[in-house]
Amino acid sequence: MAVDPLEFAALLDGTSENAVADIDTAGAAGATGGATDADAVIIGAGPAGLFQAFELGLLGIKCHIVDTLKHPGGQCAELYPDKPIYDIPALPVCGAQELVDRLLEQIKPFDPQFHLGEEVVELQVREDGRFDLATAAGTRFVAKAVVIAAGLGSFQPRRLGVEGADAFEDRQIHYRVRSASDFHGQRLVIFGGGDSALDWVIDLTGKATSIVHVHRRPEFRAAPASVARMKELVAEGRMIYVEGIATGIRVADGRLTGVTVKRSDGSMADLEADHVLAFFGLHPKLGPIADWGFELEKKAIKVDTAKFQTSVPGIFAIGDINTYPGKKKLILSGFHEAALAAFAIAEHLNPAKKVHLQYTTTSPIMQKRLGVNA
Ligand SMILES: Cc1cc2nc3c(=O)[nH]c(=O)nc-3n(C[C@H](O)[C@H](O)[C@H](O)COP(=O)(O)OP(=O)(O)OC[C@H]3O[C@@H](n4cnc5c(N)ncnc54)[C@H](O)[C@@H]3O)c2cc1C
């Protein structure tokens, strides 16, 4: 399902009047057997995927962008949003989240359709040369071109990492909250020291039967106000806090009944639980891309350096996910690759039409697409 861009950034308020194309984009809004018919689908909303939407937009090509994360920005937004970047051309210093915000502002005129919180799990070539894509959430596309901008892979939650835990995943051990009311009236053990853990500890206190919050060290990554509130709740006797790490789970009659925690002082605690919630952050994993039949080298997809096309015509790979002689995993490289891939995609969509290089400074049609009056 498409996410309303307003949900994640006021930047994207939907300006679609500029969709003037000099190539054939007919059918982009149609449907194919319940699947969305698209000219181009970009897998990954990191800096490379976002800039790909810009370069495609300049050439009059509309696109959909899919990302496992619930927000755009890839590594910049997920791993180092507050850190400065010093090697973006013409920006002597730029915060990583600021870069993402600027990219979102830049692509706003082209109104790309975002599908966030969805992992692309299937990519297949159709007999007609187009591509079938499907997300784990059930969204399907039929696309004329695909750009894989998947970085180091799809961001996945870090697991509890104790023996036997996998068997209870999504039943009694959870790495995300789908429906908070499922935990009302339940005994909970919540792990983690970041905002997600603290937010759920605070939210569920008073609604759950009992809450034990476990974190491995005295320092928290969460907002200081949330940590202060959690400590107040402990002082009021409304929940328990334990500093330690999980060492095992306890099971009876096929059901999880609790977790064993080793406290920082070395003592052990058996904590009763109906559900365990663990928020240890996310890390990238190549995931389904490894099974799509591309030639891989060190977990990266081989491409040519003229079009950044994979071994499958019509499927392109840009940014950290690709490899070629001399490849450097830099944001700058992804931007360059996106520009050349866009020209190749325009040719792929309409082989009969030559795509001429135009400057945004002087091209009336590009300026019309950008919605600027030079
Ligand atoms: C701490 C740190 C500091 C850095 N500093 C710099 C710097 O100063 N300068 C610089 O140039 N670079 C820097 N980098 C590297 C830079 O962040 C990466 O080169 C850049 O993020 C790559 O962009 P990308 O769009 O290719 O991939 P990513 O940013 O990794 O984004 C890829 C996106 O694809 C999504 N995805 C993957 N698989 C799927 C799937 N199957 N379905 C749906 N979505 C999927 C992921 O969830 C992710 O959001 C730094 C990296 C780190 C970790």
Side-chain angles (χ1 to χ4, degrees), residues 67-69 74-75 78-79 153-157 282-285:
D67 202 299
T68 314
L69 291 176
Q75 292 171 54
E78 189 58 37
L79 300 182
S154 169
F155 279 94
Q156 305 286 337
L282 303 174
H283 68 124
K285 211 172 162 193

Side-chain angles (χ1 to χ4, degrees), residues 44 46-48 67-68 74-75 80 85 87 120 149-151 153-155 319-320 330-331:
D67 202 299
T68 314
Q75 292 171 54
Y80 60 109
I85 303 175
D87 56 351
V120 178
S154 169
F155 279 94
D320 279 10
L330 289 171
I331 295 165

Side-chain angles (χ1 to χ4, degrees), residues 74-221:
Q75 292 171 54
C76 295
E78 189 58 37
L79 300 182
Y80 60 109
D82 302 325
K83 290 205 161 49
I85 303 175
Y86 300 100
D87 56 351
I88 303 299
L91 292 175
V93 58
C94 181
Q97 184 58 50
E98 181 191 352
L99 179 74
V100 175
D101 293 343
R102 284 172 178 267
L103 285 164
L104 289 169
E105 175 74 27
Q106 195 170 22
I107 64 176
K108 186 171 146 186
F110 304 127
D111 196 21
Q113 297 300 296
F114 281 86
H115 306 263
L116 299 173
E118 295 198 43
E119 182 177 32
V120 178
V121 288
E122 278 177 40
L123 172 59
Q124 282 171 359
V125 187
R126 292 162 60 95
E127 278 183 9
D128 63 8
R130 293 184 295 165
F131 305 98
D132 283 320
L133 297 101
T135 73
T139 304
R140 292 189 296 122
F141 303 93
V142 175
K144 292 179 189 160
V146 175
V147 181
I148 303 176
L152 304 175
S154 169
F155 279 94
Q156 305 286 337
R158 289 182 202 281
R159 301 309 204 253
L160 198 57
V162 297
E163 200 179 331
D166 290 357
F168 294 95
E169 194 167 323
D170 287 336
R171 288 194 292 138
Q172 288 182 278
I173 298 180
H174 311 267
Y175 298 105
R176 63 189 65 139
V177 174
R178 288 200 171 84
S179 169
S181 59
D182 291 350
F183 303 117
H184 295 178
Q186 304 287 313
R187 296 170 304 166
L188 307 180
V189 176
I190 302 180
F191 285 89
D195 284 317
S196 298
L198 270 289
D199 286 353
W200 284 116
V201 163
I202 294 165
D203 185 88
L204 290 166
T205 296
K207 298 171 187 156
T209 303
S210 64
I211 291 190
V212 182
H213 177 205
V214 185
H215 180 45
R216 67 192 160 90
R217 60 192 179 121
E219 297 79 27
F220 292 82
R221 278 177 291 110

Side-chain angles (χ1 to χ4, degrees), residues 137-367:
T139 304
R140 292 189 296 122
F141 303 93
V142 175
K144 292 179 189 160
V146 175
V147 181
I148 303 176
L152 304 175
S154 169
F155 279 94
Q156 305 286 337
R158 289 182 202 281
R159 301 309 204 253
L160 198 57
V162 297
E163 200 179 331
D166 290 357
F168 294 95
E169 194 167 323
D170 287 336
R171 288 194 292 138
Q172 288 182 278
I173 298 180
H174 311 267
Y175 298 105
R176 63 189 65 139
V177 174
R178 288 200 171 84
S179 169
S181 59
D182 291 350
F183 303 117
H184 295 178
Q186 304 287 313
R187 296 170 304 166
L188 307 180
V189 176
I190 302 180
F191 285 89
D195 284 317
S196 298
L198 270 289
D199 286 353
W200 284 116
V201 163
I202 294 165
D203 185 88
L204 290 166
T205 296
K207 298 171 187 156
T209 303
S210 64
I211 291 190
V212 182
H213 177 205
V214 185
H215 180 45
R216 67 192 160 90
R217 60 192 179 121
E219 297 79 27
F220 292 82
R221 278 177 291 110
S226 302
V227 178
R229 179 67 190 135
M230 182 275 286
K231 288 180 177 169
E232 275 173 23
L233 292 170
V234 172
E236 291 164 11
R238 297 176 65 194
M239 54 160 285
I240 292 169
Y241 174 71
V242 175
E243 192 180 294
I245 54 164
T247 56
I249 55 171
R250 290 186 298 134
V251 178
D253 299 328
R255 272 190 70 77
L256 178 137
T257 57
V259 280
T260 305
V261 166
K262 184 176 182 183
R263 294 194 190 93
S264 303
D265 64 8
S267 64
M268 304 300 284
D270 281 332
L271 307 174
E272 292 184 348
D274 300 311
H275 293 276
V276 172
L277 281 65
F279 303 102
F280 298 134
L282 303 174
H283 68 124
K285 211 172 162 193
L286 194 55
I289 294 169
D291 306 323
W292 291 344
F294 297 111
E295 203 182 333
L296 298 175
E297 192 180 280
K298 292 187 185 161
K299 295 189 181 173
I301 301 173
K302 283 189 169 185
V303 290
D304 68 70
T305 50
K307 298 180 173 180
F308 296 95
Q309 191 164 241
T310 67
S311 51
V312 181
I315 302 184
F316 301 79
I318 62 160
D320 279 10
I321 193 68
N322 76 14
T323 186
Y324 51 84
K327 167 73 182 184
K328 297 285 176 279
K329 290 189 180 184
L330 289 171
I331 295 165
L332 176 71
S333 314
F335 289 168
H336 161 75
E337 293 159 13
L340 267 61
F343 280 92
I345 290 167
E347 276 177 29
H348 180 80
L349 296 185
N350 195 344
K353 187 160 170 104
K354 185 154 175 50
V355 185
H356 298 285
L357 177 73
Q358 297 180 70
Y359 294 130
T360 54
T361 318
T362 49
S363 163
I365 191 157
M366 282 184 167
Q367 289 175 5

